[in-house]
């Protein structure tokens, strides 16, 4: 057994023992690249995801709602920073990742390419989008890569709070006027299927959808713990009873409980729409990237000032030494 075989054997021994790979450990290049892709996409999603809700900060219906929304958007920025830092432990720079986002060489979650048309959309994002995120991300706290798993612990705690905030905002609407309840129902109608699509393409062929190309290998490496389809089913089973509490109707005439399976049967999302959005043809793709690039350029002076301060401090420390 040569050195590379020994390194691979040691790597899989850790994986098979449900252990953690740390930045200094030897790892297959394909494992590293897959992690960079996934963590970067996750970080980009947190940063781009600030935009749909940020759209409503100045129009929140009360000071309390404004404060809540400001805090949530700030949390999402923090999540992006945690994740970029985790990606940097794999030997990529934040500047490199941001350049790939801005030039559309790396992707972010399809869900953030839909517009927020009413205040109820902010509640729907909290309830549905953050609910889907929690379903997907809690297993990542057991990811085989240590820095990613540890970053996810705090992120999941905050996302859980965001989900409850969204549910509470919709509950206030559904207990309000008929117009407010109709607004909440409309938001559910528009966000339900894009939220189902957040889990990615199916893991098996069928329905004209392309099969997920990453799930099997990511599960072998311990990056993912469950398949896209398993996570999607968990989300449906969790969310339908919550809709009953809200008094809202799921926009799926074929949704029903299946006693034999012990799960809800449901209509899958439109996979053609998902891939169109992923490939840049969603309602807000161009707007989201243009806004992000503009904000990055406008913030250049802050980065320059921080770099100048760090350089000055380093010179001072060297002089003292």
């Amino acid at each position: 057994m040569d050195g590379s075989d020994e390194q691979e054997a040691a790597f899989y021994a850790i994986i098979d023992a449900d252990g953690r790979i740390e930045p200094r450990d030897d790892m297959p290049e394909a494992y590293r690249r897959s992690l960079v892709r996934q963590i970067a996409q996750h970080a980009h999603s947190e940063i781009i995801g600030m935009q749909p809700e940020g759209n409503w900060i100045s129009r929140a219906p009360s000071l309390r709602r404004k404060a809540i929304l400001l805090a949530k958007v700030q949390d999402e920025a923090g999540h992006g920073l945690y994740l970029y830092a985790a990606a940097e432990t794999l030997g990529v720079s934040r500047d490199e990742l941001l350049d790939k986002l801005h030039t559309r060489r790396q992707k972010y979650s399809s869900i953030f390419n839909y517009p927020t048309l009413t205040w109820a959309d902010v509640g729907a994002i909290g309830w549905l989008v953050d609910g889907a995120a929690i379903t997907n991300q809690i297993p990542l706290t057991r990811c085989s890569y240590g820095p990613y798993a540890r970053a996810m612990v705090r992120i999941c705690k905050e996302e859980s709070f965001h989900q409850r905030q969204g549910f509470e905002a919709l509950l206030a609407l559904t207990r309000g006027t008929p117009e407010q309840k109709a607004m909440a129902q409309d938001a559910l109608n528009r966000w339900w299927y894009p939220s189902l699509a957040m889990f990615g393409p199916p893991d098996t062929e069928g329905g004209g959808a392309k099969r997920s190309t990453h799930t099997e290998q990511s599960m072998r490496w311990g990056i993912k713990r469950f398949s896209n389809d398993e996570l999607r089913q968990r989300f449906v089973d969790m969310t339908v009873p919550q809709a009953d509490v809200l008094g809202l109707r799921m926009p799926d005439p074929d949704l029903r409980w299946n006693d034999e399976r012990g799960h809800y049967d449901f209509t899958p999302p439109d996979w053609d729409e998902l891939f169109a959005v992923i490939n840049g043809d969603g309602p807000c793709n161009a707007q989201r990237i243009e806004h992000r690039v503009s904000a990055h350029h406008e913030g250049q002076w802050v980065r320059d000032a921080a770099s100048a301060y760090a350089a000055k401090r380093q010179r001072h420390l060297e002089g003292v030494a």
Side-chain angles (χ1 to χ4, degrees), residues 41 109-110 136 194-203 209-213 215 224 227-229 231-232 269 271 274-275 278:
Q41 179 174 316
S109 178
S110 60
N136 188 51
S195 297
L196 289 184
M198 281 179 64
F199 297 96
D203 300 296
K210 299 177 183 177
R211 181 175 178 272
S212 172
T213 57
T215 293
K224 291 184 66 170
S227 71
N228 295 350
D229 293 330
L231 292 170
R232 196 171 1 256
W271 302 120
L274 170 63
F275 286 107
I278 289 174

Side-chain angles (χ1 to χ4, degrees), residues 246-261:
L246 290 171
L248 298 177
R249 302 181 310 279
M250 284 297 188
D252 182 356
D254 295 324
L255 179 71
R256 57 180 53 84
W257 179 256
N258 186 317
D259 282 325
E260 292 185 6
R261 295 199 310 119

Side-chain angles (χ1 to χ4, degrees), residues 140-214:
L140 291 175
T141 62
R142 297 170 52 224
C143 170
S144 61
Y145 188 60
Y148 192 22
R150 289 188 287 273
M152 291 312 305
V153 173
R154 178 169 179 172
I155 290 174
C156 285
K157 288 179 180 179
E158 293 179 350
E159 293 289 8
S160 179
F161 190 56
H162 298 166
Q163 193 269 347
R164 292 195 294 273
Q165 288 176 332
F167 183 87
E168 188 273 335
L170 286 181
L171 187 63
L173 290 175
T174 58
R175 291 180 174 179
T177 66
E179 290 79 9
Q180 288 173 323
K181 184 171 182 179
M183 183 191 300
Q185 182 66 59
D186 174 66
L188 170 57
N189 293 347
R190 286 183 288 106
W191 287 93
W192 174 244
Y193 284 108
S195 297
L196 289 184
M198 281 179 64
F199 297 96
D203 300 296
T204 56
E205 301 287 352
K210 299 177 183 177
R211 181 175 178 272
S212 172
T213 57
H214 300 293

Side-chain angles (χ1 to χ4, degrees), residues 39-40 42-43 46 78-88 148 151-152 155:
I39 298 174
H42 192 166
E46 298 284 357
H79 298 172
L81 295 179
Y82 302 152
L83 292 164
Y84 284 131
E88 287 174 321
Y148 192 22
M152 291 312 305
I155 290 174

